[in-house]
Amino acid sequence: MSKVNIKQLAKELNLSISTVSRALRDSYEISADTKKKVFALAKQLNYQPNPNASGLRGQKTKTIAVVIPEMVNDFFSLVIGGIEKVTQEQGYYLLFYFTHGDYELEVSFINTLANGRVDGVLLSMSRENNDNSHLLELTKNGIPLVLFDRVSDNLDSVKVTSDNYESAVTATRHLIDAGCKKIAYLQVHKNISIGKIRMNGYLDALQGSTQQHPLIVECSNENEETFETIEKMLVEERPDGIFASVEKLAVICYRVCEKINLRIPRDIKIISFSNLQTASLLNPSLTTITQPAFDMGEAAAKELLNIINKKSKSASKDKHVILKSLLMKRKSTSI
Amino acid sequence: MSKVNIKQLAKELNLSISTVSRALRDSYEISADTKKKVFALAKQLNYQPNPNASGLRGQKTKTIAVVIPEMVNDFFSLVIGGIEKVTQEQGYYLLFYFTHGDYELEVSFINTLANGRVDGVLLSMSRENNDNSHLLELTKNGIPLVLFDRVSDNLDSVKVTSDNYESAVTATRHLIDAGCKKIAYLQVHKNISIGKIRMNGYLDALQGSTQQHPLIVECSNENEETFETIEKMLVEERPDGIFASVEKLAVICYRVCEKINLRIPRDIKIISFSNLQTASLLNPSLTTITQPAFDMGEAAAKELLNIINKKSKSASKDKHVILKSLLMKRKSTSI
DNA sequence: CTGTTAGCGCGTTCAG
DNA sequence: CTGAACGCGCTAACAG
C-alpha cells in the first residue's frame, strides 16, 4: 500500500496539509512558486486525490450510472459510444448496470444509488408502464435522471428518443412506393410503448395512402416459434412487403424466405428497424430504418451533464429530445 | 437532498449511531429485538450506506474497473456478460473504461485508479509489448489486476486467454481435411502477439500435414483497401481455402466472392475466427473458430474476486488460464 | 448488550 | 500567503 495522499506531500515539502490542498486546486491565495513545487511532486509521485474522501466531502463523485437492459446488442453498444465520448471529455467515470429486462433488478440497483454513489443516472427502462416510484425516489434524493430510448411518459425527467412514429411511417411508405400491395408488420413486445408507437406509424401510413388492410403478425421471443409463425403467415397470406419492428425478426424472415424459396427483393421486399452493423451482412443487404444510436448517447449524456453542472433543473424538466432516424439502403439492395 | 444516513436512523430510534451501525451489519452483540427495529426502519426509509464513507473507512469500494479497447464489438460484449454475471452475484459494481486502442488513454486512466477508486482491475490491453510500468505501479499500490484476451507476457499478473494457437491449427486442418489444396491466411495487426500466435498455428498446421506453401495476405484497417487486396489475391492466386484471422476479413471476403462469382463453399471454403452473432447472418453461414467469450469474462472476474477476497496473491501469481475455442459449423454450411 | 470516541483523506472555514 | 481545526458518514476500538 504505497498510496500517496496529501499528508505525505505536505510532509515532504514542509508545508501544511491545507496549503497543499489549496495549491492542488489552484487557489488564488497560493504563491506561484509553492504551486509549482506542489504540482511537481504530485506528478512525480502520481498523486491521485482519494475519490472517496472528496466524494464524502463535496457530495460529488464525477461518476454517472448507465442502466440499460443489455449489452450484447449493437444498438446499446453504439449508444454507449456516444455517452462515453461526452463524459470522457469532462472526466466522468461510468458505472454500468445491466437489467436484462428484469424490473426487480432495475429497482434494486436504482435504490442502491440513492446515497451518493453517482452524480446522475442515464436509464433505458427495463419495462414500461410499471410502477416508477423508485425513479421518483431517486430524483427526490437530488440525483438527476435522463431517460433514453425506452422512456415512460409518466415521469417528468428529461427524455431522449428517436422519431419512432415518423420513421415507421417513412418505412411503410417506402414499401408502398416500391409497389407493395400487401404489407405485413412483424411485431414484438406489443405492450411496450415503443412497439405501439411504431405500429401506429405503420397503421397510419397504410390508411393514409392506399386501401390496404393491415396485417399484423405477433411474434415471440422464441426464435423457433417465431420462425414457424412467420413461415405460416408467408405461405398463407403471401404478402409482398414486410416491415419488421426489430432487426431480429428481419433476420428470421430472411431465413424463412430461403426455406420456402421466396426471392428478396423480387418476390418480397423487406425493411426493418435496425442498426448498421448486421444489416449489411445479409444478402441481399437489408434496407433499414436506423436509429441514431451514437447521437442518442451523446444527447442523453449532454443533457445529464447540463443538469449536473448548471443545476438548471427547472429549465429542463419535461424536456423531450427527439432525434431523426435514417432510411438506409445499401449496395446490392434494390427495393 | 433527503438522503438518509445512520445518524437519522439513530435519532428516530433513540439509539446511538454505533448501535445502528452494528445492527445493520448484523453484529452478534446486538439483541434480536433491536436489530429487527433497525432493519424495519432502514427498509422503510430505503437507507443505503454511503459508499464514499465506507470506502474511505474500510478501503474497499465493492467496485471493479473494466478496461477494454472498445465496446462496439460482439466479442467484448460477450465478455462483459460473463464478467457481469460473476460480479453481480457478489454485489460488485462495474466501472467501465474504453481505450479505443489508445495507449495514452489507457495509461492515464490506470493512473487515475491508483487511489482507492476500485478494488481491482480487469484489463484487455490497448497495445502490447509496450511500457507496462503503469500496470506495475498499479499492482504495487495493492490493486489486483487480471488480464484477459490481449495480455502481455512480461507482467506477472493472472492472465485469461483462449487457445489461439491450437485453434488456429484446428481451423487450418479443417480446411485441409475438407480437401483444400491452397489455403490463404488473412492477417491484420501482424505486430500484436495474438495475431502472431494465430498465424503460427496456421503455418505449423500447413507444414505438418501437407506440402502446401503458406499464402499470407496482409490486410489493413481500411475496408476499401482490404477489399481490393483480397480481390487481387483471389484472382491472381486462386486459393480454394481462406482462413480469416478476424471476422471482419471474412465478411469482406464474402463480398469479394460475390463480386467475382466465386461460389462458397463449392469454389472456395472460408473459415474464420469469429463469434456466433454475425456468422450466422452470412449466406451460406460462416464456419468459425469461436472463442468462449462469455466464459472468458466469467473466468477473469472469478480470478480477480479470488484475489480480492482471499488475498491469496502469492498463490495465484503468474497463473494463466487458457480456455478452449470451439469450431462451429452452422446449418446451410457444408464445408 | 449499548454508548462514546477516534480517524479514514479531503476541502473549507477561521485565524493569523 | 499559510496553518490549525472541523466535519462529511461510517466503522472499530474501547469502555461500561
Side-chain angles (χ1 to χ4, degrees):
Chain A
M1 295 286 185
S2 67
K3 289 171 192 168
V4 188
N5 59 21
I6 278 195
K7 212 165 160 184
Q8 289 168 46
L9 294 184
K11 202 163 76 181
E12 193 102 5
L13 291 164
N14 279 320
L15 290 169
S16 81
I17 292 176
S18 59
T19 302
V20 176
S21 172
R22 271 181 285 229
L24 290 170
R25 316 203 74 237
D26 205 18
S27 161
Y28 67 96
E29 37 186 7
I30 300 292
S31 73
D33 198 43
T34 307
K35 277 184 195 171
K36 203 184 249 178
K37 274 189 247 170
V38 173
F39 280 130
L41 187 65
K43 191 169 180 188
Q44 186 199 324
L45 300 182
N46 183 35
Y47 165 77
Q48 298 291 144
N50 184 314
N52 289 316
S54 37
L56 184 56
R57 185 89 231 300
Q59 313 292 5
K60 53 187 138 43
T61 57
K62 278 273 181 186
T63 304
I64 77 178
V66 179
V67 186
I68 55 177
E70 52 172 342
M71 176 76 284
V72 186
N73 178 314
D74 285 327
F75 173 72
F76 284 115
S77 299
L78 290 166
V79 172
I80 289 172
I83 292 173
E84 194 235 344
K85 185 189 162 211
V86 173
T87 53
Q88 182 165 301
E89 280 167 5
Q90 303 205 27
Y92 276 81
Y93 294 84
L94 255 25
L95 200 63
F96 275 82
Y97 200 84
F98 311 103
T99 57
H100 305 287
D102 180 339
Y103 175 74
E104 302 302 327
L105 275 177
E106 179 186 310
V107 172
S108 80
F109 181 64
I110 290 291
N111 282 339
T112 257
L113 258 30
N115 223 323
R117 186 179 295 278
V118 297
D119 296 345
V121 178
L122 290 170
L123 174 89
S124 191
M125 302 179 80
S126 64
R127 262 197 274 165
E128 296 170 31
N129 302 326
N130 245 298
D131 181 14
N132 291 322
S133 54
H134 59 302
L135 298 175
L136 287 172
E137 180 78 14
L138 186 77
T139 49
K140 226 184 337 186
N141 278 359
I143 300 175
L145 170 70
V146 169
L147 302 170
F148 65 92
D149 192 48
R150 302 202 197 170
V151 306
S152 167
D153 285 336
N154 45 21
L155 273 170
D156 62 350
S157 303
V158 176
K159 301 172 191 66
V160 181
T161 62
S162 59
D163 57 340
N164 286 292
Y165 174 83
E166 289 77 5
S167 53
V169 170
T170 305
T172 309
R173 291 224 181 103
H174 184 73
L175 290 174
I176 293 171
D177 292 347
C180 293
K181 301 294 177 205
K182 188 169 183 181
I183 300 170
Y185 182 75
L186 307 184
Q187 155 92 327
V188 274
H189 303 139
K190 67 170 172 182
N191 46 355
I192 84 171
S193 72
I194 205 172
K196 277 184 225 153
I197 292 171
R198 288 176 179 183
M199 192 171 74
N200 286 339
Y202 160 77
L203 291 173
D204 290 355
L206 277 197
Q207 207 160 31
S209 302
T210 73
Q211 306 305 334
Q212 293 189 27
H213 289 294
L215 175 54
I216 291 170
V217 185
E218 209 61 64
C219 302
S220 77
N221 271 323
E222 270 307 309
N223 288 353
E224 300 303 324
E225 195 181 315
T226 297
F227 188 97
E228 283 164 26
T229 306
I230 294 177
E231 180 177 5
K232 186 156 172 282
M233 182 276 290
L234 287 184
V235 170
E236 290 177 1
E237 301 280 353
R238 291 281 161 192
D240 56 358
I242 297 280
F243 179 13
S245 62
V246 300
E247 179 185 282
K248 194 172 71 178
L249 294 178
V251 173
I252 294 175
C253 206
Y254 265 65
R255 294 293 163 253
V256 175
C257 288
E258 275 165 27
K259 184 181 170 193
I260 63 177
N261 280 319
L262 280 177
R263 282 152 304 178
I264 306 167
R266 201 160 79 177
D267 302 332
I268 189 165
K269 307 188 200 309
I270 301 180
I271 194 166
S272 176
F273 273 100
S274 164
N275 64 34
L276 192 117
Q277 311 271 9
T278 59
S280 59
L281 295 181
L282 292 164
N283 186 11
S285 55
L286 176 65
T287 293
T288 61
I289 286 291
T290 297
Q291 293 179 283
F294 191 92
D295 298 357
M296 193 183 292
E298 276 191 319
K302 273 182 194 162
E303 292 296 332
L304 184 63
L305 292 184
N306 272 343
I307 302 176
I308 291 175
N309 295 324
K310 306 192 179 171
K311 287 287 174 200
S312 63
K313 280 185 213 174
S314 44
S316 50
K317 272 285 180 193
D318 215 5
K319 188 168 164 182
H320 191 162
V321 179
I322 299 180
L323 303 172
K324 222 168 142 18
S325 298
L326 247 50
L327 184 97
M328 303 187 73
K329 297 180 231 183
R330 293 176 185 76
K331 60 173 167 39
S332 85
T333 302
S334 51
I335 79 166
Chain B
M1 297 281 186
S2 67
K3 288 172 191 168
V4 188
N5 60 20
I6 276 196
K7 212 165 162 184
Q8 291 168 44
L9 293 184
K11 201 162 79 178
E12 193 102 6
L13 292 164
N14 280 318
L15 288 170
S16 81
I17 292 177
S18 61
T19 301
V20 175
S21 171
R22 271 180 289 226
L24 289 169
R25 315 204 78 237
D26 206 15
S27 161
Y28 67 96
E29 37 185 8
I30 300 292
S31 76
D33 199 45
T34 307
K35 278 184 193 169
K36 205 185 252 177
K37 274 188 250 171
V38 172
F39 281 130
L41 188 64
K43 193 170 178 188
Q44 187 201 323
L45 300 182
N46 184 34
Y47 165 76
Q48 297 292 145
N50 184 313
N52 289 317
S54 38
L56 182 57
R57 188 83 233 300
Q59 314 290 3
K60 52 189 141 41
T61 58
K62 278 276 181 181
T63 304
I64 77 177
V66 179
V67 186
I68 55 177
E70 51 171 344
M71 177 76 282
V72 185
N73 177 315
D74 285 329
F75 174 71
F76 285 114
S77 299
L78 291 166
V79 172
I80 288 171
I83 291 173
E84 195 235 344
K85 185 189 161 206
V86 173
T87 52
Q88 183 164 300
E89 280 166 6
Q90 302 204 29
Y92 276 81
Y93 295 83
L94 257 26
L95 200 63
F96 275 81
Y97 201 83
F98 310 103
T99 58
H100 304 287
D102 180 339
Y103 176 74
E104 302 302 328
L105 274 178
E106 178 185 312
V107 172
S108 81
F109 181 64
I110 290 290
N111 283 339
T112 257
L113 259 28
N115 223 325
R117 187 179 294 277
V118 297
D119 296 345
V121 178
L122 290 170
L123 174 89
S124 192
M125 302 177 80
S126 63
R127 264 198 272 167
E128 295 171 32
N129 302 327
N130 244 298
D131 181 14
N132 291 322
S133 54
H134 59 302
L135 299 175
L136 287 172
E137 180 78 15
L138 185 76
T139 49
K140 229 185 334 185
N141 279 358
I143 299 175
L145 170 70
V146 169
L147 302 169
F148 64 92
D149 193 47
R150 304 203 196 167
V151 305
S152 168
D153 285 336
N154 45 21
L155 273 170
D156 62 351
S157 302
V158 176
K159 300 171 191 69
V160 180
T161 62
S162 59
D163 57 340
N164 286 292
Y165 175 83
E166 288 79 5
S167 53
V169 170
T170 304
T172 311
R173 289 224 181 105
H174 183 74
L175 290 175
I176 294 171
D177 292 347
C180 294
K181 300 297 177 204
K182 187 168 183 182
I183 300 170
Y185 182 75
L186 308 184
Q187 157 92 330
V188 272
H189 302 141
K190 66 172 173 184
N191 46 355
I192 84 169
S193 73
I194 206 171
K196 278 184 222 149
I197 291 172
R198 289 176 177 182
M199 193 172 75
N200 286 339
Y202 160 77
L203 291 174
D204 290 356
L206 277 196
Q207 205 158 33
S209 301
T210 73
Q211 306 307 337
Q212 295 190 24
H213 290 295
L215 174 55
I216 290 170
V217 186
E218 209 62 63
C219 302
S220 77
N221 271 323
E222 271 306 309
N223 287 354
E224 300 303 324
E225 193 180 317
T226 297
F227 188 98
E228 283 164 26
T229 307
I230 293 177
E231 180 176 6
K232 185 154 174 282
M233 183 277 289
L234 287 183
V235 170
E236 289 176 3
E237 300 281 353
R238 290 280 163 193
D240 57 357
I242 297 281
F243 180 12
S245 63
V246 300
E247 181 185 282
K248 195 172 69 177
L249 295 179
V251 172
I252 294 175
C253 206
Y254 265 64
R255 295 290 164 256
V256 176
C257 287
E258 274 166 29
K259 182 181 174 194
I260 63 178
N261 280 318
L262 279 177
R263 282 152 305 179
I264 306 167
R266 202 160 79 177
D267 301 334
I268 189 164
K269 304 186 202 314
I270 302 181
I271 194 167
S272 175
F273 273 99
S274 164
N275 65 34
L276 192 113
Q277 312 273 9
T278 59
S280 59
L281 295 181
L282 291 165
N283 186 10
S285 57
L286 176 65
T287 293
T288 61
I289 287 292
T290 297
Q291 291 180 286
F294 191 92
D295 298 356
M296 192 182 291
E298 276 191 318
K302 274 183 193 162
E303 292 295 333
L304 183 63
L305 292 185
N306 271 342
I307 302 176
I308 291 174
N309 295 323
K310 308 192 177 172
K311 286 289 175 198
S312 63
K313 281 187 213 172
S314 44
S316 49
K317 272 283 178 197
D318 216 4
K319 189 169 165 182
H320 192 161
V321 179
I322 300 180
L323 303 172
K324 223 170 143 12
S325 298
L326 246 48
L327 183 95
M328 303 188 72
K329 299 180 232 183
R330 292 177 185 75
K331 61 176 166 42
S332 83
T333 304
S334 53
I335 76 167

